[in-house]
Amino acid sequence: MSVLITNIQRYAIHNGGGIRTTVFFKGCPLACSWCHNPETQSFKAEGEVFNYTPRQLAKLVMRDQIFFGEQGGVTLSGGEPLAQDMGYMTEFLRILKQSGAHIACDTCGDVPWDNFAAVLPYVDLFLYDIKAATEELHVEYTGRSNVRIIDNLGKLAQHTAQVWLRIPVIGGYNDGEEMTAIIDLAKKAAPGRKISLLPYHTMGKDKWDKIDKSPRHVDFYTPGTEAMAKIAMDWKRAGFEAEIGG
């Protein structure tokens, strides 16, 4: 059992609430054109990576337990945590849960449902990314269909109330009619859940340069304050608890 890890970020205040320690796993089924962690897309060892046993990794992150308080904990990110060696992941999560950690999992959803089922006993909160509702658009900008992602979201919402939807708002991609379609999708698959609207940013540009790659599309922009406020209001009108950022 082994996985590759690109970073362990301590004292994080996003991705699950409270003060958190976030583990970034390497490898993702999607190749999003706006990805701000492009070094985690490939499953191959590139640049600086780390390899721990499940117990070593759990011991490392639980050093921060004193800072977690009642709302903090450990967040699995990447890359895609649920596209890793699932024997490794379940063992790691089992040890974390025994230590009393609150566990959040940031996921793109494009994995077999059995992978979700395997971690349901351990994960307290799923941070579920939705990039597009229209399959053709999703394929063009992420390289993959969203059919399994939508199907998994519906199943996950039936198994647990602790699903927090995260929507990257990409100017020129999904900030117009496509956002309306995403809202309609969410109303059917996971009504009433918390929504985080994440405005597009270019903070990943230096990372693309470091790994000698470039995104397939670069004609995105950051939606303005008024545009983001309108999108948030549209989500609220549809019955969701929407926030900008988070």
Side-chain angles (χ1 to χ4, degrees):
M1 295 190 298
S2 65
V3 300
L4 296 176
I5 294 165
T6 62
N7 188 26
I8 297 175
Q9 182 180 0
R10 293 181 160 82
Y11 313 114
I13 56 172
H14 301 291
N15 301 332
I19 296 174
R20 312 193 69 81
T21 294
T22 302
V23 182
F24 293 86
F25 295 91
K26 193 171 187 333
C28 183
L30 303 187
C32 300
S33 296
W34 54 84
C35 183
H36 58 274
N37 291 321
E39 75 282 7
T40 68
Q41 286 188 356
S42 172
F43 286 90
K44 297 177 182 179
E46 303 167 308
E48 187 176 25
V49 293
F50 307 93
N51 201 325
Y52 304 98
T53 68
R55 188 165 296 278
Q56 286 172 335
L57 182 59
K59 183 177 180 180
L60 190 60
V61 299
M62 290 307 290
R63 289 177 184 172
D64 303 329
Q65 189 171 19
I66 190 173
F67 302 107
F68 294 160
E70 294 183 2
Q71 297 182 341
V74 178
T75 298
L76 316 179
S77 189
E80 172 52 58
L82 301 185
Q84 309 298 321
D85 181 318
M86 291 307 296
Y88 181 104
M89 295 302 294
T90 53
E91 177 66 6
F92 171 54
L93 292 175
R94 183 186 65 79
I95 297 168
L96 282 185
K97 186 55 66 178
Q98 287 178 341
S99 301
H102 178 279
I103 301 168
C105 179
D106 188 358
T107 178
C108 74
D110 192 13
V111 298
W113 169 251
D114 285 350
N115 293 18
F116 278 101
V119 302
L120 273 169
Y122 310 109
V123 174
D124 300 290
L125 174 65
F126 289 91
L127 308 171
Y128 205 104
D129 298 348
I130 296 292
K131 280 89 172 178
T134 305
E135 183 179 8
E136 293 78 10
L137 199 61
H138 199 277
V139 170
E140 181 180 357
Y141 286 89
T142 74
R144 299 270 292 190
S145 166
N146 61 352
V147 170
R148 182 162 67 172
I149 294 169
I150 296 170
D151 184 55
N152 281 341
L153 175 59
K155 289 180 181 177
L156 188 62
Q158 291 176 356
H159 280 80
T160 175
Q162 301 306 313
V163 180
W164 175 349
L165 298 182
R166 290 156 58 83
I167 317 296
V169 185
I170 315 297
Y173 169 66
N174 66 0
D175 59 330
E177 292 182 3
E178 186 62 20
M179 187 59 64
T180 302
I182 295 173
I183 293 173
D184 290 341
L185 181 164
K187 284 168 65 176
K188 295 174 184 176
R193 304 309 168 97
K194 183 173 180 179
I195 305 294
S196 284
L197 300 168
L198 310 175
Y200 169 72
H201 60 72
T202 59
M203 287 188 283
K205 183 181 182 304
D206 289 344
K207 294 182 179 181
W208 283 100
D209 294 340
K210 277 185 180 179
I211 62 174
D212 261 346
K213 294 182 181 177
S214 59
R216 290 169 300 162
H217 301 274
V218 293
D219 52 344
F220 304 129
Y221 60 87
T222 303
T225 302
E226 290 185 9
M228 289 299 303
K230 180 185 180 302
I231 291 171
M233 185 57 65
D234 289 342
W235 278 95
K236 290 175 183 176
R237 289 195 184 105
F240 293 90
E241 179 190 347
E243 65 178 16
I244 299 172

